[in-house]
Amino acid sequence: ENREDMLSSKSNRLTEALEEANKLFSGVSCAREAALDAQFLVLASNLGKEKANELHSEMTAFDSLAFAEDLLTFMGINRIEVEENDSDSEGISGGYLPSNAWHKLGEETEKYFRRAPSFHYMLGSFKSDPPVPRQRIERQKKTTGGEEKRAMPAQLKKMEESHQEATEKEVERILGLLQTHFKNDPDTPISFFDLVIDPNSFARTVENIFHVSFIIRDGFARLKLDDDKLPIIEPSKDNEGKEDDHSAGARNQVVISLNHQEWK
């Protein structure tokens, strides 16, 4: 916005902006802020370049013609004398360099280029033969690899099926215990925690809660709260199970939090 003001030789706005940017950079913490700082640096560099180009210094510019005249004079040719000789005798052509002109220039410039001479081979470089490519030995593929790969999914599938069958059997066993208890004493509700908690194993308690959740999900049993607001479980009747399947709000899923201290 203040481009002309910053490019002015009498203004220090560009320097002030750079100092302010240096202070702000100490608090940079995000990538976007660093990108803005880099963008500002590019803009400030362009402005500084334009400002430097507008400065009028008193330095003399390099003049190639004047340099050539001085170089020829150093090498032994005086242009003034050559012009006079050419005007006096037109048949004699002047202006040729002396025989030692280039040697004189070389001796003078040698002191500014002190370096070791480059090494040159007398009969050319040693040509080495390219390395012999190694023969690639192809490894024989194992024929038993395919059989092992085919056997692995079968084993995994067998393990998954056995684990699923074990879960189903455990769920059926717990449901059978629940139904047997209510057949013997239908008026006495069972406390949910008395059913699932194993006093001797926390892991077994968690497994029991996991298995009972399948019974509740499938509608074979239901949970209620007693007078003390504690959960009790009872098997559902056949007609109640069918009604629960059709009603949307009949079954709700909850998450039970149970750590080792609460289990104790």
Side-chain angles (χ1 to χ4, degrees), residues 67-188:
F67 175 75
E69 291 291 341
D70 295 339
L71 189 61
L72 291 174
T73 303
F74 174 79
M75 295 172 71
I77 293 181
N78 191 344
R79 284 293 185 182
I80 300 175
E81 294 179 358
V82 169
E83 292 176 357
E84 292 177 354
N85 293 333
D86 290 344
S87 60
D88 295 341
S89 56
E90 298 178 356
I92 303 174
S93 61
Y96 289 99
L97 289 174
S99 59
N100 64 339
W102 291 108
H103 294 284
K104 186 177 181 181
L105 179 63
E107 291 175 357
E108 180 66 22
T109 56
E110 185 180 0
K111 62 182 72 174
Y112 302 104
F113 296 95
R114 294 188 176 276
R115 63 179 182 178
S118 60
F119 181 75
H120 298 282
Y121 294 102
M122 295 178 64
L123 298 175
S125 61
F126 295 100
K127 294 182 179 180
S128 60
D129 296 330
V132 180
R134 295 181 180 180
Q135 294 181 356
R136 187 173 181 180
I137 302 175
E138 296 184 358
R139 297 181 180 179
Q140 295 180 355
K141 296 182 179 179
K142 296 181 180 180
T143 56
T144 58
E147 297 177 358
E148 292 179 357
K149 290 181 179 179
R150 287 195 298 270
M152 286 295 290
Q155 292 176 1
L156 292 175
K157 186 176 181 181
K158 187 177 180 181
M159 289 172 62
E160 292 176 357
E161 290 177 353
S162 61
H163 180 71
Q164 186 175 1
E165 290 175 358
T167 303
E168 292 176 355
K169 290 179 180 179
E170 187 65 19
V171 171
E172 292 175 357
R173 187 183 71 83
I174 295 175
L175 180 59
L177 292 175
L178 188 63
Q179 292 174 347
T180 302
H181 174 79
F182 264 82
K183 285 181 180 178
N184 298 332
D185 192 1
D187 298 330
T188 304

Side-chain angles (χ1 to χ4, degrees), residues 57-72:
S57 60
E58 296 179 356
M59 296 176 61
T60 57
F62 177 75
D63 188 359
S64 58
L65 295 177
F67 175 75
E69 291 291 341
D70 295 339
L71 189 61
L72 291 174

